[in-house]
Amino acid sequence: MDKRKSVVPFLLEHGNSDPVSFHMPGHKGSWLYRENGYGEILDALMECDITEIPGADNLFQTEGIIKETMNRYKELYGVRESYLLINGSSAGLIGAIMTSVPLGGKLVMARNCHKSIYNGLSMIGGSPVYAYPEISEEYGISGQITAEEVARCLKENPDSSAVILPSPNYYGICSDIKAISDVVHRAGKILIVDQAHGAHLKFFDRYAGGYRQMSAENQGADIVINSTHKTLASFTQTAVVNLCTDRVDKYAFEDKLQLIESTSPSYLLMASLDVNAMLLETKGEELIKAWKDNIDWFNSEAEKIPGLRIMKHDLLDYTKINLDMSAYGLDGLELEELLMKEGIFPELTTGNIAMCMTGIGNRRCDFRRLLDALTAIAQSRKPVERREQTGVTLPNKKPELVGVPVDKVRIPVEDGEGRICAFPIIPYPPGIPIVCPGEVIDREILDYVTDLRKRGVNVMGIDDQGRIAVGP
């Protein structure tokens, strides 16, 4: 095999290194399929890579086998209709926006929405009305969107058509969707919930005794988008859209969705969605309870490590483990580097936090390796005064919004203070804009972005010459 560093050599080298995945996707490797009777599909992937031959159904006119898989999800989530996505949650989010907001209309959207939502709004020429999340000063991250904040936005913008927000957000903090849905529906609007990071919540609601009801499907949302690949067992780039109420015209939604999805949908991706659904049907209770037990075990053992903090929040999806070892002088990136040396790969770092995204495929041995690594780190270092936050995902104040510039010029990042942003600047992950078009770029933003780039973090919106787009 050609040993040049391209995709295939990298993937094989990584896969053969016995890594522990605390990042998406949620299946965490082949063991979950093989130990539960679905190894045959993995062995026959190339033979199963087909197109719409007779009997294979059609994703955009489902009448046969794909319809059956959709019905599995409809029953699993207890919703009106479910649709398979092979272009990720992004396709479902954009389709939901195009269905719910007219051309040029207004959308009330959380300021910490994923970039795909900004893309969807741009496609319809719509205007954002920002609902600002609470900010956790302790951890330097964005928190929940409150019903009061949504009510404020709707009162000030009665001509808006829909509300969209993430719950849980990237760090696992959920919003009170029941309270928000009551506010939205009293105003006669549509509620779209980006539940990309919470496809599992419906099943924790069902099987994890005493766990607070957090899934948007159970709390009155109209459209819910779930990235089944992030925490459950389907392949990367797969997701499910759930239409939960009759406030949304399903035929209008289907029409918009086919504008976004590929006309050559992958049967391999759809097969993984089918396996995921069958696993949830036949082994769901067993797998979810084991997942919860492993997290509970880890948390109880991790409490014994002096100086280690694990983030807590009243509305936290605790399958996201946010680790803070700043008591040892480590920020999130530094902690991540130490963990990766032990073959453990977190999902995200922000400020002092390294976030480990657990999934349905994580086993007790994964949690034990993480625990052992954290214990060794604590034993090898001396405690120091806990480090202040090194940065936040969003400005800790509401940025000044003056309007999207029509004309654009590109200037060096360091010259951007006081200029009006023309294209979003987005650290990836988490894919949430640090500054949006029409907002004034301040020194705090520039310092944060500069620090991220020095640390090797990918920042979208900055070209290969280190320039950003601003108004003239």
Side-chain angles (χ1 to χ4, degrees):
M1 181 184 292
D2 190 337
K3 297 298 183 182
R4 291 178 298 176
K5 277 292 185 181
S6 55
V7 174
V8 169
F10 171 82
L11 291 176
L12 292 175
E13 180 181 338
H14 178 75
N16 291 329
S17 67
D18 191 26
V20 174
S21 168
F22 282 110
H23 56 77
M24 60 184 80
H27 55 68
K28 311 301 181 183
S30 63
W31 83 268
L32 184 63
Y33 278 40
R34 295 193 184 281
E35 290 193 11
N36 288 284
Y38 299 101
E40 186 177 5
I41 187 69
L42 300 180
D43 296 332
L45 280 180
M46 295 300 290
E47 286 70 30
C48 296
D49 189 13
I50 63 169
T51 188
E52 292 92 341
I53 59 175
D57 207 356
N58 186 308
L59 180 60
F60 305 112
Q61 186 65 43
T62 57
E63 298 173 346
I65 60 173
I66 299 175
K67 183 68 171 178
E68 177 61 28
T69 301
M70 288 167 52
N71 285 337
R72 290 181 186 276
Y73 281 102
K74 177 179 175 179
E75 294 173 6
L76 282 164
Y77 281 98
V79 294
R80 179 182 166 215
E81 298 289 346
S82 289
Y83 299 90
L84 309 185
L85 298 175
I86 45 74
N87 287 62
S89 281
S90 297
L93 291 164
I94 293 172
I97 291 169
M98 294 177 72
T99 304
S100 305
V101 184
L103 292 176
K106 285 184 179 180
L107 174 66
V108 175
M109 58 184 289
R111 177 56 180 77
N112 60 328
C113 278
H114 186 264
K115 70 186 187 74
S116 59
I117 294 169
Y118 292 86
N119 293 341
L121 190 62
S122 175
M123 291 173 68
I124 64 167
S127 301
V129 176
Y130 290 133
Y132 290 92
E134 295 182 340
I135 297 294
S136 168
E137 298 294 343
E138 182 179 7
Y139 293 103
I141 62 173
S142 55
Q144 66 172 313
I145 299 290
T146 66
E148 291 76 17
E149 175 67 359
V150 172
R152 177 193 67 80
C153 293
L154 290 172
K155 181 178 180 180
E156 294 175 2
N157 298 271
D159 54 341
S160 57
S161 301
V163 174
I164 189 167
L165 71 154
S167 182
N169 66 16
Y170 216 133
Y171 309 95
I173 297 175
C174 297
S175 295
D176 187 343
I177 298 302
K178 178 62 172 67
I180 291 171
S181 67
D182 289 345
V183 168
V184 172
H185 294 151
R186 280 199 300 270
K189 314 300 182 183
I190 300 295
L191 177 59
I192 307 165
V193 176
D194 174 4
Q195 198 170 257
H197 289 269
H200 58 286
L201 290 179
K202 178 75 177 185
F203 310 103
F204 270 78
D205 283 357
R206 182 177 299 160
Y207 299 126
Y211 192 69
R212 174 173 175 166
Q213 296 281 299
M214 286 187 169
S215 70
E217 289 90 355
N218 286 350
Q219 297 186 79
D222 299 302
I223 309 177
V224 182
I225 297 89
N226 295 281
S227 278
T228 52
H229 77 90
K230 283 182 169 63
T231 55
L232 296 177
S234 59
F235 291 175
T236 296
Q237 202 172 306
T238 57
V240 175
V241 176
N242 290 326
L243 300 189
C244 305
T245 72
D246 59 6
R247 294 183 181 88
V248 180
D249 183 332
K250 76 169 192 172
Y251 299 109
F253 178 75
E254 291 170 4
D255 178 64
K256 299 304 182 185
L257 191 58
Q258 69 175 332
L259 298 177
I260 305 301
E261 295 225 78
S262 170
T263 56
S264 300
S266 167
Y267 275 82
L268 302 181
L269 297 181
M270 289 188 284
S272 77
L273 280 163
D274 197 36
V275 171
N276 180 64
M278 290 188 286
L279 277 170
L280 291 170
E281 286 176 338
T282 61
K283 298 286 186 72
E285 183 173 6
E286 175 187 338
L287 291 169
I288 295 298
K289 286 184 174 179
W291 185 0
K292 180 183 182 297
D293 287 346
N294 285 332
I295 294 170
D296 290 343
W297 174 84
F298 172 82
N299 285 335
S300 66
E301 293 297 313
E303 287 180 355
K304 302 173 185 177
I305 301 176
L308 170 65
R309 286 198 301 180
I310 297 178
M311 189 178 80
K312 293 179 171 59
H313 189 281
D314 290 342
L315 291 173
L316 183 67
D317 164 23
Y318 61 78
T319 68
K320 314 295 189 298
I321 301 176
N322 294 276
L323 303 168
D324 178 345
M325 294 196 78
S326 58
Y328 292 91
L330 298 170
D331 67 12
L333 277 170
E334 292 163 338
L335 176 57
E336 179 187 47
E337 289 171 1
L338 292 174
L339 291 174
M340 288 193 298
K341 288 180 180 178
E342 301 301 318
I344 300 167
F345 293 83
E347 169 67 25
L348 169 74
T349 67
T350 300
N352 290 341
I353 288 175
M355 188 273 277
C356 290
M357 179 183 286
T358 71
I360 198 170
N362 279 122
R363 294 172 284 185
R364 179 64 62 91
C365 58
D366 298 333
F367 291 93
R368 186 172 288 112
R369 277 182 63 179
L370 177 60
L371 183 72
D372 290 346
L374 293 169
T375 300
I377 291 169
Q379 292 175 346
S380 67
R381 306 178 72 90
K382 293 182 178 180
V384 299
E385 184 176 349
R386 191 173 294 277
R387 174 178 290 192
E388 293 298 321
Q389 293 298 332
T390 60
V392 295
T393 56
L394 295 171
N396 60 10
K397 58 182 182 298
K398 294 180 182 179
E400 182 184 0
L401 181 63
V402 298
V404 180
V406 177
D407 298 318
K408 304 170 181 65
V409 296
R410 288 196 170 272
I411 62 171
V413 172
E414 57 269 21
D415 296 336
E417 184 175 6
R419 304 296 291 271
I420 302 173
C421 179
F423 290 147
I425 300 173
I426 308 172
Y428 208 92
I432 299 166
I434 190 70
V435 58
C436 291
E439 294 178 348
V440 176
I441 303 170
D442 63 19
R443 177 50 54 185
E444 179 186 356
I445 291 168
L446 294 177
D447 290 345
Y448 178 60
V449 169
T450 299
D451 181 61
L452 288 179
R453 298 183 77 218
K454 286 179 180 177
R455 291 164 173 260
V457 176
N458 180 256
V459 181
M460 304 173 70
I462 301 176
D463 66 21
D464 55 6
Q465 297 180 49
R467 300 177 304 175
I468 57 176
V470 299

